[in-house]
Each structure stands twice: as C-alpha cells, then as structure tokens.
C-alpha cells in the first residue's frame, strides 16, 4: 500500500479499518542468495539497498526478536554530519544526503527534522578545534557556522551563560543537523525491503555460522538451518558473540549507554544542543518530551539498563547547562548495548572467511549512519568491493595502524 | 554497583576507574609480533556473562584490582589485587 496525505484522510473517515500490515511475515526458506543477521536499522537498510541498488531480492533478514527491538528503537535520534577525519567525513556527509531524500525514497514519514545542531565550546582551545572542524565540514560540502557567545544566546537564551565552571564561549551550528523518529526509520526500511521481495524473519535467532573450506555456506537458527553463500553480521552490541560463531575475535567491547525522556512539554527547545564538557546533549521530541543523555556507563555490560551514578552525572550536567530543566519530570530511562571499537569508528568489511561480511562498531553514533551504512554494506556484499565512502572502515586497521580516532582518546574502548 | 576492595572493603562504584578487560595484564614482550600487540590492545572476548576486568581504586587505596564480574547481571563474584596476582 502506498501512503499519502489523501490515504490518511480517507482512512480517518472510515475508522482506520483499511490499513494493511506494513510487511509480510514469511516462513524462512531453505536457501537465500544472501542473509543479513540482525533486523536493526543497519541490517534493514542493507537489505533494502541490496534489493534496490543491486537487484538482489532473494535475501532474508534474520532477527532474534522483533524488528526495531534493538538500539534502533533506543537511541536519542540525532542525525548530523559534523565529522572531521578523512574517512569519517565523506561517509557521514553521504549519509546526511541520503537522510534528506529518505522519506520520498521510502514513501514513509520518518519525521526527519533539520532543526539545527549546536555544539557548545567553553575555552579558547576548544574554539580553535571547532573552527577547524567547521572548516573540514565546509570543505566536505556540508554546513557549519561559528557562533560567538551572543550568537548562541540568540538561539538558546535559556542556557546558564553565567556559570563559572564551563562558561559558554560560543558554539558550532550545523544547520542541516537535527533528528528523526527512530522507530519509523526501521519501519520504513523494513517496509521498503519487504516490498522488494526481501523476507523479514522475526523471532529467528542465529545460533551458528556454517563454514566449509574457508567459505560461508549458511547459518543455524532457532527456526532451522538456512543456506546462503553470503552472510552479513549486523548485530550492533552483540557483534562479538555472533562473530565468535565464526571463530573470530573482534576489536569490540560492549557498553551501556543510557538515555532519558521527560513528560511532554510545550515546545521549548528548538535545536539539538550538545554540551561536551558536561557530557550532556538534549533535544525535544515531536511529542514534547525532552530527550537527553550523556556518556556511557564506562564498563563492559550487556544489561539493557544502566546504573545510578551515570544518571546522577547526566542530571548534574543538565542542571549546570540549563537550570530550567530541573522543573521537568523524568518519565523513563533506558539503556542500549553499544559495540565500542577502540578508535570510536565503525567497521564495514569482508572477513577472512569467504562470503562472510561484517558491519559493526557503531559505538553510540550509529543512528545517523543507518542509510549510508546500509548503502555501503549492500555495495560490499553485492560487488565484493568496499564502497568509496566507506573504504577506511577496515577490520584490520587496528593491526595496521590506520586508526580513525575522531576524538583522539587512544585505544581504550570505553573512552570513545 | 559496589566493589569490595581487598584493602578498603565494600565501596561505591564511583570510587573506581574502569580500564578494560584483563587482557591488559598480558602485555607482549618487547619485539613481539604485531599480531600480539593487536590482540593486547584491541581484540577482546567481550563475553555476555562472566568476565574479568581491571579497575583502579582511584579514590581509595590506589591499587589496581582484577574483578570477576557478570556483564549481564552486574553481579561481582571476586576482587583480587593485581599486585598479588600469581603469574
Ligand atoms: C541511548 C542511546 C542513544 C543513542 N543516540 C544516538 C544518536 O543520538 N545518534 C546516533 O547517530 N546514534 C545514537 N545511538 C547509537 C545507535 O542507536 C546505534 O549505533 C545503532 O542503532 C546500531 O545499529 P542498529 O540499529 O543496526 O542496531 P540494533 O537495532 O541493535 O540492531 C541489531 C539487531 O540484531 C539483533 N540480533 C543480535 N543478535 C542476533 C542473533 N544472534 N540472531 C539474530 N538477530 C540478532 C538484535 O536483536 C537487534 O535487533 C544511541 C544508542 C543508544 C543506546
Ligand atoms: Zn582500595
């Protein structure tokens, strides 16, 4: 079914009884040309572009739970292209362009809202670093505007400008940055992939990867064995466990990232604001809740919930930056399992096993990457060659020293 | 979460700094092949379940601790001083 404004109106007039399911619920076939393990944002986007860009439609996405139950439905929805390092820069730039055409392409409202993103700075040194980053963004063809303190005040009058701890010197405004509805992105790609013939198989956990003579031949699942000559591992926080099924040890440690949302309020925060010194970022959802978060909990964890010290830290940072949010009631908090790489950048690559591919290491920044990751992973799986904007996301870059350490924090997983 | 430091007793998680997996104790010898350094610095078992990792009692006795911990339940089943580790 094609969605349109007219459809919404006519359905509304007739009790919304005519909507059909957005995708089928097929039983797994015995064999596919390609299997994607993981029905999160990246897996679904990969399946969609395999079908759309490469005509590969005999494809299955195997999801152990239901579509959208992982981090795609748990993140704080920030979409931006403000990276600095060659490798990251062109990739996220490509991703943002795909975001800008996503709704028309998928015929799905993902509520992509380019409301502008402001990164605050609090010292001369930080200002210099942001000037440099802004120039890199402009060189890449994206947008960046340096705001001084008064410039920030015009956009964000409610911040505490007088604070002594991290006085606000200014901010880097990225007008095309913003947010999108996270679940809708998963649903939009799921529907698009399904319409092109991809089988989305839910409640189907991959429990083994079958390899013969150095080549992948299929997978074992809770719904039986399925054969395929190409298999992509795209399972975010579970990357290490699934890769271990193929005998691989990855440069990944899993960590929890928490997020918080308040009760619904009238529109008060227009932008996405990030306060790096205090490890805090915030935006307001279309429903009115203030959505915010901070750092990782900092130790390896697979619990889908966080611990209280980080809750306290995030609240303190929020109160330092914008004391007015102390009046809002926090409604919920939750955690997601992040696959932290030791340089903070992702991996999209072949493995040493023929036909086995991996897309992982998105840390806490993989939502904005969903379209380009799917685009590039599909390109890799279909052609066997890295896509030009993802060619630095190598699996062996740690061994060879070609790191992409955007933050410059070294090789400790939790510091990215 | 609380950690029971062998020297200081049961203490709040905020007194400790987390470093990473126990792998960091197995530093390759000088001149070791690159693959060993890659293993040591980057590659991890990253289990969902029991793991051993290193914590520093920063706001306490300033000892490095090797903690046996369940990454799914956050339950801690053992804490040892790295200094007393038998090689
Ligand atoms: C609190 C929080 C805030 C975040 N904020 C942002 C943000 O503002 N901006 C941003 O860009 N990024 C953000 N992120 C990061 C982003 O959400 C992730 O990087 C991204 O969602 C990960 O990719 P994914 O969507 O494919 O993962 P997931 O949705 O987690 O997909 C992986 C899927 O694999 C499935 N799976 C695992 N093992 C198996 C198996 N054995 N068999 C079958 N299926 C399996 C899982 O069930 C899951 O559905 C945030 C993350 C969190 C937790
Ligand atoms: Zn101690």
């Amino acid at each position: 079914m094609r969605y349109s404004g007219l459809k919404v109106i006519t359905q509304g007039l007739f009790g919304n009884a005519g909507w059909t399911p957005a995708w089928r619920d097929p039983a797994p076939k015995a064999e596919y040309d390609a299997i994607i393990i993981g029905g999160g944002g990246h897996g679904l986007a990969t399946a969609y572009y395999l079908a759309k860009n490469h005509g590969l439609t005999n494809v299955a996405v195997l999801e152990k739970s239901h579509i959208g139950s992982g981090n795609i439905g748990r993140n704080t929805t920030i979409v931006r292209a403000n990276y600095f390092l060659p490798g990251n820069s062109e990739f996220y730039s490509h991703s943002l362009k795909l975001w800008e055409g996503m709704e028309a392409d998928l015929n799905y409202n993902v509520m992509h809202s380019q409301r502008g993103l402001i990164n605050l700075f609090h010292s001369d040194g930080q200002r210099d670093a942001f000037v440099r980053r802004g120039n890199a963004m402009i060189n890449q063809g994206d947008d960046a505007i340096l705001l001084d303190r008064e410039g920030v005040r015009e956009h964000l009058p409610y911040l505490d400008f007088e604070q002594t701890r991290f006085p606000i010197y200014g901010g880097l405004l990225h007008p095309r940055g913003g947010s999108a509805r996270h679940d809708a992105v998963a649903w939009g790609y799921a529907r698009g992939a399904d319409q092109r013939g991809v089988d989305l198989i839910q409640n189907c956990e991959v429990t083994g990867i079958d390899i013969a003579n150095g080549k992948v031949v299929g997978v074992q699942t809770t719904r039986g064995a399925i054969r395929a000559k190409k298999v992509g591992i795209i399972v975010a926080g579970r990357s290490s466990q699934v890769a271990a099924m193929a005998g691989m040890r990855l440069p990944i440690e899993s960590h929890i990232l928490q997020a918080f949302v308040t009760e619904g309020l009238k529109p008060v925060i227009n932008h996405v604001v990030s306060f790096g010194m205090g490890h805090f970022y915030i935006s307001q959802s279309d429903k009115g809740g203030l959505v915010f978060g901070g750092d990782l909990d900092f130790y390896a964890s697979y619990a889908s919930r966080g611990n209280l010290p980080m809750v306290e830290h995030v609240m303190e940072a929020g109160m330092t930056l914008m004391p007015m949010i102390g009046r809002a009631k926090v409604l919920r908090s939750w955690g997601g399992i992040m696959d932290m790489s030791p340089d903070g950048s992702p991996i999209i690559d072949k493995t040493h096993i023929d036909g086995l591919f991996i897309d992982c290491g998105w840390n806490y920044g993989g939502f904005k990457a969903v379209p380009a990751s799917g685009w590039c992973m599909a390109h890799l799986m279909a052609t066997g060659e890295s896509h030009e904007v993802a060619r630095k996301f190598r699996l062996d870059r740690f061994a060879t020293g070609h790191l992409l350490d955007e933050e410059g924090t070294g090789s400790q997983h939790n510091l990215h | 979460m609380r950690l029971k430091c062998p020297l200081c007793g049961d203490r709040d998680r905020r007194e400790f700094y987390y470093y990473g997996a126990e792998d960091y104790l197995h530093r390759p010898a000088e001149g070791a092949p690159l693959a060993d350094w890659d293993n040591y610095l980057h590659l991890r078992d990253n289990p969902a379940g029991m793991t051993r990792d290193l914590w520093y009692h920063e706001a306490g006795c300033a000892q490095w601790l090797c903690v046996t911990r369940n990454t799914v339940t956050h339950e801690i089943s053992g804490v040892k001083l790295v200094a007393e580790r038998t090689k």
Side-chain angles (χ1 to χ4, degrees):
Chain A
M1 180 191 288
R2 229 191 124 68
Y3 298 147
S4 66
L6 186 65
K7 265 251 153 70
V8 171
I9 292 166
T10 49
Q11 284 292 335
L13 289 175
F14 298 102
N16 283 307
W19 298 114
T20 52
W23 55 82
R24 298 163 297 131
D25 185 22
K29 290 194 264 179
E31 179 159 11
Y32 290 93
D33 292 337
I35 283 175
I36 308 291
I37 310 176
H42 292 248
L44 294 165
T46 301
Y48 174 76
Y49 292 119
L50 270 176
K52 182 175 183 227
N53 295 356
H54 303 281
L56 222 71
T57 56
N58 184 24
V59 173
V61 176
L62 309 181
E63 165 55 47
K64 73 170 176 183
S65 179
H66 59 267
I67 295 296
S69 57
N71 290 325
I72 186 69
R74 287 172 181 265
N75 67 74
T76 43
T77 76
I78 301 170
V79 174
R80 57 186 169 90
N82 57 354
Y83 282 73
F84 175 72
L85 289 183
N88 283 332
S89 194
E90 58 267 37
F91 175 83
Y92 290 101
S93 180
H94 180 63
S95 206
L96 187 54
K97 287 184 198 106
L98 291 174
W99 275 103
E100 288 168 335
M102 186 188 291
E103 294 178 337
D105 185 33
L106 295 177
N107 172 234
Y108 207 92
N109 180 9
V110 302
M111 297 160 83
H112 181 217
S113 151
Q114 295 183 293
R115 58 187 70 179
L117 175 141
I118 298 179
N119 288 125
L120 300 172
F121 53 80
H122 313 271
S123 68
D124 290 333
Q126 246 196 332
R127 178 196 289 118
D128 292 349
F130 276 28
V131 168
R132 225 176 140 212
R133 181 174 294 270
N135 286 336
M137 290 158 67
I138 291 165
N139 285 342
Q140 182 58 46
D142 296 319
D143 59 346
I145 298 169
L146 194 75
L147 302 175
D148 62 9
R149 184 183 160 101
E150 290 316 307
V152 173
R153 204 193 291 272
E154 262 173 48
H155 290 280
L156 316 172
Y158 46 79
L159 300 185
D160 181 2
F161 287 86
E162 310 314 323
Q163 58 171 297
T164 50
R165 191 144 180 237
F166 298 120
I168 294 164
Y169 277 41
L172 188 65
L173 168 65
H174 172 33
R176 283 164 67 225
S179 67
R181 172 77 202 275
H182 46 7
D183 302 304
V185 173
W187 299 333
Y189 275 113
R191 174 170 166 272
D194 173 87
Q195 284 175 344
R196 283 172 173 75
V198 171
D199 282 359
L200 307 178
I201 303 182
Q202 307 184 66
N203 301 309
C204 179
E205 179 171 355
V206 172
T207 53
I209 296 178
D210 298 332
I211 297 159
N213 306 319
K215 287 186 183 163
V216 78
V217 291
V219 296
Q220 297 292 325
T221 80
T222 48
R223 296 178 69 175
I226 307 177
R227 290 192 304 278
K229 290 191 186 67
K230 289 182 181 180
V231 174
I233 302 174
I234 318 182
V235 293
R238 298 281 167 180
S239 304
S240 299
Q241 277 125 55
V242 177
M245 294 172 195
M248 292 171 63
R249 205 167 175 244
L250 293 181
I252 297 289
E253 199 173 87
S254 296
H255 285 257
I256 293 301
L257 181 69
Q258 302 191 55
F260 308 85
V261 66
T262 69
E263 59 193 326
L265 303 168
K266 287 187 177 168
V268 51
I269 297 177
N270 235 341
H271 307 75
V272 178
V273 184
S274 90
F275 173 40
M277 295 305 282
H279 312 292
F280 180 81
Y281 59 92
I282 188 164
S283 64
Q284 186 165 17
S285 82
D286 295 315
K287 276 195 284 186
L290 304 182
V291 180
F292 58 96
D295 265 326
L296 298 170
D297 276 19
F298 279 129
Y299 47 93
S301 172
Y302 283 90
S304 299
R305 57 176 168 80
N307 260 315
L308 286 172
M310 191 49 73
V311 178
E312 193 177 337
H313 180 77
V314 170
M315 300 299 160
E316 279 172 0
M319 288 298 290
T320 308
L321 183 68
M322 46 177 89
M324 73 172 184
I325 74 163
R327 297 189 156 237
K329 291 196 184 71
V330 174
L331 218 57
R332 283 192 304 276
S333 74
W334 64 92
I337 310 169
M338 311 287 84
D339 45 345
M340 301 302 296
S341 65
D343 64 356
S345 294
I347 293 158
I348 302 179
D349 207 352
K350 312 179 202 189
T351 69
H352 67 284
I353 297 157
D354 208 15
L356 185 66
F357 303 84
I358 189 154
D359 179 321
C360 69
W362 293 99
N363 299 275
Y364 43 75
F367 178 62
K368 70 179 91 68
V370 162
S373 166
W375 187 281
C376 296
M377 182 67 167
H379 183 277
L380 175 68
M381 287 182 71
T383 66
E385 298 295 328
S386 287
H387 188 277
E388 57 172 2
V389 303
R391 70 187 186 287
K392 296 207 166 165
F393 296 165
R394 298 287 307 275
L395 182 54
D396 69 356
R397 70 174 180 270
F398 305 97
T400 61
H402 293 86
L403 303 180
L404 286 167
D405 188 351
E406 182 84 24
E407 309 273 329
T409 43
S411 66
Q412 206 174 312
H413 295 80
N414 61 339
L415 296 185
H416 290 280
Chain B
M1 195 159 101
R2 292 174 78 81
L3 287 174
K4 196 165 184 179
C5 172
L7 299 181
C8 312
D10 211 6
R11 306 304 272 260
D12 190 281
R13 176 258 173 278
R14 276 166 285 203
E15 293 189 5
F16 301 86
Y17 173 81
Y18 171 85
Y19 189 40
E22 184 196 35
D23 300 51
Y24 281 121
L25 290 177
H26 311 301
R27 190 184 168 86
E30 215 179 311
L34 275 182
D36 291 5
W37 287 101
D38 187 32
N39 257 309
Y40 164 74
L41 280 172
H42 310 120
L43 303 185
R44 296 292 176 256
D45 287 340
N46 192 28
M50 296 308 279
T51 188
R52 274 212 292 276
D53 43 30
L54 302 180
W55 297 70
Y56 177 59
H57 198 178
E58 193 174 25
C61 58
Q63 286 291 316
W64 281 97
L65 309 176
C66 185
V67 176
T68 309
R69 197 169 59 87
N70 187 314
T71 56
V72 177
T73 62
H74 292 169
E75 191 189 337
I76 290 162
S77 48
V79 182
K80 285 200 178 120
L81 293 178
V82 168
E84 284 181 1
R85 172 176 65 104
T86 44
K87 295 220 168 165

